Amino acid sequence: MTDIQGGAPALRQSSESSASTTSGYGMLAVMLIALAAIPFSAVYVGEQDWAPWVMIPAILVLTFVSVGFYLLQPNQAVVITLFGDYKGTDRTTGLRWTWPWMIKKKLSVRANNIISERIKVNDLRGNPIEMAAQVVWRVTDSAQALFDVDDYKAFVNVQIEAAVRTIGSRYPYDDFEHQEVTLRGNHDQVGGELRLELIERLKVAGITVDECGFTHLAYAQEIAGAMLRRQQAQAVVAARQTLVEGAVGMVEMALSMLSEKNVVELDDERRAAMVSNLMVVLCGERDTQPIVNAGSLYQ
């Protein structure tokens, strides 16, 4: 079988199947019987003709049976091969037994937790950022994990780094106008996409991802200071904009109420001066010092 585009041989995908094994307790009884027969027959060596014919088979049976035992704890599996040919996987816990000439490879199917190293990634806008992820993964297909990749644990580490780089370059780190999906502002959505990306990358190794998320997300050191000043400047601008909008509304309300109640008649010049004074009072960062006009309004 070859790859249509490149002409290279395609990967022969393995698939987990159940191994033909048996409970070890029955074979343990056979081993104990053989073990008891050896000293029993040794007593009659030289006295009875049948004694050697009991001892020799008992030793052979004891040796044969004892080699086939293995133990399985919960969430462990044993992959069984014969001369390089995959014969199945045993996931039954307890004392197990199979033919002595079978090669047994034990691996864990428990959940593994890994925190990747911090890597530098360029986000969608080209800004360098630092990212690290926490991933909970486990083996679901033991045959694929052992036979379709060279080292499935190293494979997981490499694919986590590749997936983090892919997701990091897909979105901007932050959007100050709050109109885009960002790495900092949409943790759940971005984390879900990271999990789907990892599942797709790791399925060739028979591995699934139960949970993942970012443990570190920040601008790189070379631009962190500049980005902090930018955030501060944009925060100040936003605050000023809100303050000015409120001040304009208050000035408009004050002029309207003065006109409606005929408190004072203002021409355009005096109205402009009043608006200027009110804006200074409302938008100033420090308390204003009032000046009392003792003369006429037009002096």
Side-chain angles (χ1 to χ4, degrees), residues 63-224:
T63 304
F64 178 83
V65 172
S66 61
V67 176
F69 286 107
Y70 60 93
L71 287 172
L72 271 182
Q73 297 179 0
N75 292 317
Q76 282 187 331
V78 165
V79 176
I80 299 175
T81 59
L82 176 63
F83 304 121
D85 188 19
Y86 174 61
K87 293 299 181 181
T89 299
D90 187 11
R91 290 177 179 251
T92 306
T93 58
L95 182 62
R96 306 294 298 168
W97 188 88
T98 189
W99 300 110
W101 47 81
M102 296 290 189
I103 304 299
K104 299 173 284 291
K105 175 68 174 180
K106 186 181 294 185
L107 77 161
S108 173
V109 293
R110 298 165 181 167
N112 294 268
N113 186 52
I114 185 172
I115 298 178
S116 67
E117 296 182 357
R118 295 182 183 182
I119 59 175
K120 188 176 293 185
V121 183
N122 290 332
D123 70 354
L124 182 64
R125 296 193 176 100
N127 297 320
I129 59 176
E130 292 180 350
M131 304 178 69
Q134 172 264 340
V135 180
V136 178
W137 61 274
R138 56 189 171 86
V139 175
T140 55
D141 192 305
S142 58
Q144 284 185 290
L146 287 183
F147 304 131
D148 289 357
V149 293
D150 186 53
D151 184 342
Y152 68 92
K153 292 184 178 180
F155 185 78
V156 170
N157 293 331
V158 172
Q159 293 304 320
I160 288 176
E161 180 178 345
V164 169
R165 291 187 182 278
T166 299
I167 298 299
S169 62
R170 189 178 296 174
Y171 298 103
Y173 174 81
D174 203 355
D175 176 28
F176 300 101
E177 297 179 356
H178 305 289
Q179 296 179 354
E180 297 181 88
V181 177
T182 62
L183 298 172
R184 191 175 71 90
N186 302 87
H187 288 284
D188 294 338
Q189 180 177 343
V190 176
E193 291 195 26
L194 176 62
R195 179 174 179 267
L196 295 177
E197 181 75 18
L198 282 171
I199 290 176
E200 183 65 24
R201 289 174 174 271
L202 296 176
K203 67 180 182 180
V204 67
I207 294 171
T208 190
V209 176
D210 295 328
E211 179 186 348
C212 65
F214 294 108
T215 58
H216 177 76
L217 185 63
Y219 282 115
Q221 294 183 355
E222 57 265 31
I223 67 167

Side-chain angles (χ1 to χ4, degrees), residues 31 84 88 128 142 159 164 169 177 203 226 261 263 274 278 283 288:
M31 188 181 71
S142 58
Q159 293 304 320
V164 169
S169 62
E177 297 179 356
K203 67 180 182 180
K261 297 183 179 182
V263 176
M274 184 175 182
L278 286 174
C283 297
T288 57

